[in-house]
Every structure is written in structure tokens, then in C-alpha cells.
Amino acid sequence: MPTTTDAPKVFISYSWNPPQHKERVIELAKRLSNDGVHVILDVWDLAPGQDKHSFMEQTVTNPDIKKVLLICNKSYKDKADGRQGGVGTESLIMSKEVYAKADQTKFIPLVFEADEQGEPCVPTFIHSRIFFDLRETEEYEDNYEQLIRNIFDKPIHARPPLGMRPSYLEVETPSTLPTAHRVAAIKRAFLDERRNAPLLVKQYYNAFLEALKGFEPQPEEFTADNFIELTLNKIEQSKPLRDDFVLFLDTYLDTAPEFDQEALQDFLAELVLYLNAKAIQGFNQDRINSLQFDYLRFFVYELFLYFIAILLKREKFQILAGILNDSFVVIQEQERADARVEDFRVFSSYNATLNKHQNEKFKMNRVSVVGDNINKRASNRYTFDELKQADIILHHLSELEGFIPLASSRRLWRPETAAYNTYTLPIFAKMVSLRYFDKIKVLFNVQTKEELVNLIRTIESDHHVQLWHRSDYYMNREIPLLSRAIDLDKIATLK
């Protein structure tokens, strides 16, 4: 219960006429006091012999007085407007305060009476002020509560705390991109449960592919003298599109009641077809014509890392397993009858412009210039460590016999970011939890801990896998074997 020293102080200005009105004012003052308000009232605080005008002036202008409650009835209005008696004196003092400080909320009219036309009896100098209606009506209790809340600064409709600005504002998506503003529309559609929301998602995929095609260079642009610079420029120009896709996927996962796996896989299939037609088919790392789409190689590799990092962080392992198990049919343009089947490893291919030509021309002596760029370009939404973890996990999953359709070819996922030392993989470390293992085991295509342990030991006994992990490609920075990244003895031991 507040004391008189910490309770909010209010001064009540009122007319003594008629007598029953004065009694109502005193009853209000008593109730306010019972509710923790320190009320200054003449009948309680004006001592005999004290100058009442001085008392009123000191009270009204006292900064310790939080509120001045003006009890408005017909008598109070008439005396204030006519500057009569004590009310007239108070109104003169208060009007100076009100007009001098037009934005202040210290003076609050409380309406006790209306005139013959039903209009509140409020003095002219505060006529435009918002008032509390305390006439004896059914709304009295609600209005009294609002008054108390006002005095204690506890409104019913309080201003909500200031949050973070919308994440889509962080994405610098040029308005000329076909994807511009589509994410916000998708979010609204799912939140409003509109039937066209899934269609908007498919339209986004199509718009994204069109936007990506918009970065295609003209063959005559690339020369032996400028192809490195132009590749780097294309990579930088495509960054807003990457960030827009990250925002799209985050928004989609946040708002959609169901995730359309088939639509996503169709989108990735189209992306693979475009990648193959432009950057893979007939590739020669020493021909300028082949190198002009190395920006695309970089883009899809980086984009796929973000895609995997998002799903891993959100523990969307079922969606992720579906993508990693998917096959993409690619038909060679010159041999349309001869189809080739690819899997997720198609998104990881050697980038000669960065890792070879730029590295050699500028004597950079870098393990992976691609990895350097991914590190430098890491977004605010997902860290480089999260991308690196996704990269190495993709490498390990590409090792697993029977999991990947083309595992026998031994074309492993090349984790460019592994050029940076990796000491732990948090996602694998969490597999000590039985609950977590039951969720993530779908990635390894196993049902039990024993199946996974046997699978890992079989894979690591393979001569080709051992050679990869001892490769000097990463200058002796070994990618940790799965048996080191995962403590096999502790898998699913904690409930």
C-alpha cells in the first residue's frame, strides 16, 4: 500500500454549490484516497487563518501535484467563466498554466453535471480538453477506473513495447527484381488464410528463376582481361536476390500451416536444369566462354548452403531429407535422348574463376576463395558458422553409402567453407539426446542408433573416404570424420 510520500498527489478544484454537490466531491476524494491517491482538498488541507488564494495558487502550480481535477457542474462553469469567487481565482491561475503549456495533461475535467441541452458543463478555458464523465450513470464505474488508471499511468490500452523493425526491411531487394514485394504478399496471404497463398509461393519460385536469369552476361562482355572482375561484380549484384530468397523461406516456414514439398522440389529441379544448361554442360575451366557463368556456380552453391542452414536451424529434417534424397533428371542439349540423373551434389561444383584464376593472378595463396567470399558475405540472419556447419554436414551425407542415389560414384560434396577450421558441429553434438536423435535420424536414412553406428564405421573403412580426409586440398585442415564429429558411444543416451 503506498504511503503519502510515494502516492500520486492530486488537487481537487470544485464549487461548494449546491451543498449536495460538495458532498459528492468529498465522497469522491475519500474513494480516491482509499485507492492510493494523495488528495489535496480544501476541507482537509486549508487551515483556519490560511490565505485561501495563496493556498490555491501554490497548490495549482506546485510541480509535486501530478494532476489537478476540475469537478465540473453548472455552478463551477458559471463561476469560472465569470471569474467569480474562489473558483474564478483558481480558473485564472489554471488558465495561464493551461495556455502556457498546451501539451500538458495535468488539468483533467471531471464532469458531474450537464446543461439543459445535455452538453457537459465545462468551463471555456478547458472546453477542448478530454474529460471523464462521472455523472451518476451506468458508465460511472468504468469511467472511474479510467480516471484511476490515468492518475497512476496505467491505461487499459497501453502502448506496446517497441519491437524490432520487420526483417524484410533488412533485405535490399531492388524494386526492379521480379521478386520485389512478393514476400510481404505471401505472408499476408497465409496469415489471412487466403486460398491463393500456395499459388503465390509457386509464383515466387517462377519469379525468382526469372530474376536469376536477368543476371546473364552477354558473351562479348567477358574477355581474358576482365572476366575475374565481371564475375565478382555479378556475384555482388545477385546478393539482394539471395537475401530475398532467405527472407522468403523464413517467412514461408513461419506462416504456412503446411509446407509444399513438391513445389519446392519442382523449383530446385528447374534451378538444376538452368545451372546445367549455363554453367555445367561442356564446362572447361580454361575457356572464357565456360567461365562466364561462374557467378552462377557461386550463387547456387551459396544459396543452397543458406537453404540447408535454415532447415537445420529450424529442425525441418523431414523436408531436408526429402530434398537430399531427390533426383534431378538432366538432358544434354546435344544428346536429348541421353538423360543424366543428378542429386544435391550438383549444387557444388568447382569454381575456376575464383579458386584458380583469381587466386593465381593476385597471388592470394588462399585455400578457397569461394569460402572466403561466403564468409565475407554472410548475412545478418545466418552466421558463417551456421553455413559452414551446413556445408560440412552435406559433405558427410554425400559419403553415406545407400543414402545418396549416386554414392557409388564417390563424387563427394566439396565443402569450400571447410577451409576455415572446424572444431565442433553443434547439430551432431546434440544427437546425444534421444529425442533429438529421433528427429534427425531421417537425414541418415536409419531407424536406430545401431544402424547409424554400423553405417558410419562401414563408410570410414572405405579407402576412398580415408584418402579424402587426408587430402592436401585444404592444406592439412582435415574435415573431421563422422566418428569424430559424432560421439558414437553417446548417441541417444540422454532422454
Side-chain angles (χ1 to χ4, degrees):
M1 181 176 179
T3 65
T4 55
T5 57
D6 58 16
K9 293 182 179 180
V10 302
F11 170 67
I12 293 183
S13 172
Y14 69 106
S15 169
W16 284 21
N17 295 317
Q20 60 269 30
H21 171 73
K22 179 179 178 180
E23 292 303 318
R24 279 196 63 202
V25 172
I26 295 175
E27 288 302 314
L28 173 64
K30 290 179 180 179
R31 184 171 180 181
L32 289 171
S33 297
N34 288 333
D35 286 333
V37 180
H38 183 179
V39 178
I40 308 296
L41 189 66
D42 56 359
V43 296
W44 297 340
D45 296 284
L46 182 59
Q50 187 176 358
D51 186 283
K52 62 180 180 180
H53 291 165
S54 176
F55 167 77
M56 293 174 185
E57 182 173 12
Q58 291 176 7
T59 304
V60 168
T61 59
N62 185 349
D64 292 334
I65 302 297
K66 185 175 183 179
K67 304 287 184 184
V68 176
L69 307 182
L70 287 63
I71 311 298
C72 302
N73 66 343
K74 187 176 184 306
S75 174
Y76 189 88
K77 171 179 168 56
D78 292 343
K79 290 182 178 181
D81 289 346
R83 299 294 191 258
Q84 302 171 10
V87 172
T89 302
E90 290 176 31
S91 62
L92 280 172
I93 297 169
M94 287 186 286
S95 61
K96 292 179 182 178
E97 289 283 303
V98 169
Y99 293 133
K101 304 173 184 177
D103 62 336
Q104 70 144 292
T105 58
K106 183 174 182 177
F107 300 94
I108 303 177
L110 305 185
V111 174
F112 269 38
E113 189 178 359
D115 61 19
E116 291 80 2
Q117 287 75 38
E119 295 295 323
C121 292
V122 178
T124 301
F125 78 97
I126 54 167
H127 190 269
S128 61
R129 299 266 162 166
I130 295 175
F131 59 83
F132 291 99
D133 189 345
L134 292 187
R135 289 178 291 173
E136 294 177 324
T137 64
E138 292 181 358
E139 290 79 28
Y140 180 90
E141 290 300 326
D142 290 339
N143 295 338
Y144 175 81
E145 179 185 344
Q146 291 185 41
L147 171 63
I148 285 291
R149 288 181 173 277
N150 181 277
I151 294 172
F152 283 95
D153 291 328
K154 297 292 183 181
I156 294 177
H157 303 293
R159 181 185 296 276
L162 189 64
M164 300 293 290
R165 64 180 181 174
S167 57
Y168 54 77
L169 296 180
E170 305 298 332
V171 180
E172 298 179 2
T173 306
S175 58
T176 54
L177 285 179
T179 57
H181 315 304
R182 289 181 179 270
V183 176
I186 290 170
K187 180 178 181 179
R188 288 195 300 271
F190 277 116
L191 292 178
D192 295 343
E193 299 181 351
R194 298 178 190 169
R195 296 175 62 184
N196 69 331
L199 176 61
L200 294 179
V201 171
K202 293 179 180 180
Q203 290 176 345
Y204 179 89
Y205 290 140
N206 293 333
F208 182 90
L209 290 171
E210 288 303 310
L212 183 56
K213 293 174 182 178
F215 292 103
E216 285 188 21
Q218 296 300 317
E220 61 272 15
E221 288 185 65
F222 276 71
T223 68
D225 296 326
N226 69 5
F227 75 95
I228 295 175
E229 180 183 358
L230 289 177
T231 296
L232 293 173
N233 287 341
K234 290 288 183 182
I235 288 173
E236 189 59 30
Q237 291 168 13
S238 62
K239 184 179 178 181
L241 185 60
R242 178 207 72 181
D243 290 342
D244 192 67
F245 185 85
V246 171
L247 175 62
F248 156 74
L249 190 55
D250 271 336
T251 302
Y252 187 17
L253 292 169
D254 282 339
T255 58
E258 294 183 3
F259 191 90
D260 190 339
Q261 181 99 10
E262 184 177 354
L264 175 63
Q265 291 178 226
D266 289 344
F267 161 71
L268 292 177
E270 290 296 322
L271 186 58
V272 169
L273 287 174
Y274 179 63
L275 175 66
N276 177 73
K278 297 297 182 179
I280 296 178
Q281 186 173 246
F283 176 75
N284 185 321
Q285 66 181 24
D286 294 316
R287 289 176 51 202
I288 296 299
N289 287 344
S290 290
L291 298 176
Q292 65 178 310
F293 283 95
D294 268 5
Y295 79 89
L296 181 60
R297 290 173 175 270
F298 178 90
F299 180 86
V300 296
Y301 172 66
E302 183 185 48
L303 185 73
F304 198 69
L305 287 187
Y306 276 91
F307 174 71
I308 301 302
I310 291 170
L311 296 181
L312 287 173
K313 188 171 185 177
R314 291 170 170 269
E315 299 184 3
K316 301 293 184 180
F317 301 128
Q318 287 286 352
I319 297 175
L320 181 52
I323 297 303
L324 298 183
N325 273 305
D326 200 13
S327 298
F328 308 107
V329 178
V330 176
I331 301 176
Q332 300 293 85
E333 283 190 9
Q334 66 271 28
E335 302 174 21
R336 289 191 179 276
D338 185 16
R340 185 176 82 250
V341 178
E342 293 282 1
D343 55 44
F344 74 87
R345 290 173 295 177
V346 72
F347 295 109
S348 171
S349 56
Y350 182 66
N351 197 302
T353 298
L354 301 184
N355 280 348
K356 179 184 178 185
H357 298 291
Q358 184 186 10
N359 215 358
E360 292 176 356
K361 179 177 180 179
F362 296 102
K363 297 179 172 57
M364 300 170 69
N365 195 31
R366 298 299 298 168
V367 176
S368 171
V369 179
V370 170
D372 292 340
N373 276 277
I374 290 175
N375 186 10
K376 180 178 66 176
R377 289 159 47 90
S379 74
N380 294 329
R381 299 173 71 84
Y382 293 91
T383 67
F384 177 66
D385 282 342
E386 289 171 329
L387 298 175
K388 182 171 62 170
Q389 177 176 237
D391 208 7
I392 295 175
I393 287 174
L394 287 173
H395 166 74
H396 283 309
L397 293 178
S398 71
E399 293 178 322
L400 301 184
E401 190 76 44
F403 178 79
I404 301 303
L406 306 180
S408 58
S409 70
R410 288 303 176 205
R411 183 169 63 81
L412 302 179
W413 177 276
R414 181 186 296 274
E416 298 281 357
T417 61
Y420 291 81
N421 285 326
T422 301
Y423 300 104
T424 59
L425 295 172
I427 286 180
F428 284 166
K430 288 194 282 188
M431 288 172 60
V432 66
S433 163
L434 174 60
R435 184 183 66 84
Y436 192 81
F437 173 74
D438 282 340
K439 290 191 294 184
I440 199 174
K441 65 185 180 183
V442 66
L443 289 186
F444 302 96
N445 198 25
V446 299
Q447 296 298 320
T448 66
K449 165 187 174 179
E450 289 71 27
E451 282 185 69
L452 179 59
V453 171
N454 290 336
L455 177 61
I456 291 173
R457 286 176 176 162
T458 300
I459 291 296
E460 293 186 354
S461 67
D462 186 282
H463 175 67
H464 294 89
V465 173
Q466 292 179 15
L467 284 179
W468 171 271
H469 285 277
R470 290 197 297 269
S471 170
D472 64 352
Y473 177 78
Y474 293 115
M475 299 175 68
N476 298 321
R477 286 177 170 85
E478 291 187 2
I479 301 171
L481 290 164
L482 265 176
S483 58
R484 295 179 183 174
I486 303 174
D487 190 334
L488 302 183
D489 294 331
K490 293 184 178 179
I491 294 176
T493 56
L494 296 180
K495 295 183 179 181

